[in-house]
Amino acid sequence: MSDLIKHIRAGAVWATYPVCFILQKSLWVLYKLAPRSLTEKLLASRTGKINMEVDESIQYMTSNTMLVKSLQKAVTDIYKEAQLGGQAPDMKVVNLEDGKEVNLLSFARAGRPLLINFGSCS
C-alpha cells in the first residue's frame, strides 16, 4: 500500500472523531437517564457479571481517553508494515545451515507456503 493511501486512510480514521464523540456522549446521557436496574441488567447480560463497577465502566467507555486510544490504535494498524492478507515483509534472517544473513522471502517457493515458527522447540 502506498504512503499516500495510508495517509488518506489515517486521515479518514481521525475524521470520524466528531461522530464517535457525539455517539459516545449520547451513550453517556442515555445511561444517566435510564433506570439504574435496567442498566445493571443490560451490563450483566453482556458481561455475565452482576456486581461490577457500572459507573466506572461507563465513565471509561464514554471518556475522551478511550476514544482517542481507539483511534490511535486504528491509525497505528494502518501504518504497520505487515498487513493481514498482504505480502510478508522481506526482512533479513539468519540461515541456520551456513550462518549467513539472507532475505526471508528467499525461502519462498511457488506453490508451497512459507511457514515461520516463532515457538520454542524445547
Side-chain angles (χ1 to χ4, degrees), residues 8 13-14 22 29 33-34 42 52 54 60 89 102 108 111-112 114:
I8 291 170
V13 167
W14 284 112
I22 291 169
V29 169
L33 294 176
L42 286 173
M52 58 183 292
V54 176
Y60 180 72
V102 294
R112 190 179 96 196
L114 177 63

Side-chain angles (χ1 to χ4, degrees), residues 33-102:
L33 294 176
R36 179 91 175 161
S37 60
L38 177 64
T39 56
E40 287 176 349
K41 285 179 187 175
L42 286 173
L43 286 172
S45 71
R46 300 292 292 164
T47 63
K49 298 177 185 175
I50 296 172
N51 296 328
M52 58 183 292
E53 298 296 328
V54 176
D55 284 333
E56 287 180 21
S57 298
I58 295 294
Q59 281 179 342
Y60 180 72
M61 289 188 324
T62 60
S63 71
N64 195 48
T65 303
M66 188 267 205
L67 177 59
V68 170
K69 286 183 185 253
S70 298
L71 294 175
Q72 284 174 337
K73 184 192 178 311
V75 169
T76 301
D77 287 347
I78 290 170
Y79 286 105
K80 285 182 179 176
E81 185 178 351
Q83 296 289 327
L84 182 62
Q87 290 185 330
D90 196 13
M91 62 185 99
K92 297 276 187 194
V93 294
V94 176
N95 186 341
L96 295 178
E97 293 175 359
D98 57 15
K100 294 182 182 176
E101 275 193 4
V102 294

Side-chain angles (χ1 to χ4, degrees), residues 97-111:
E97 293 175 359
D98 57 15
K100 294 182 182 176
E101 275 193 4
V102 294
N103 289 339
L104 174 65
L105 295 181
S106 67
F107 293 104
R109 301 289 177 258

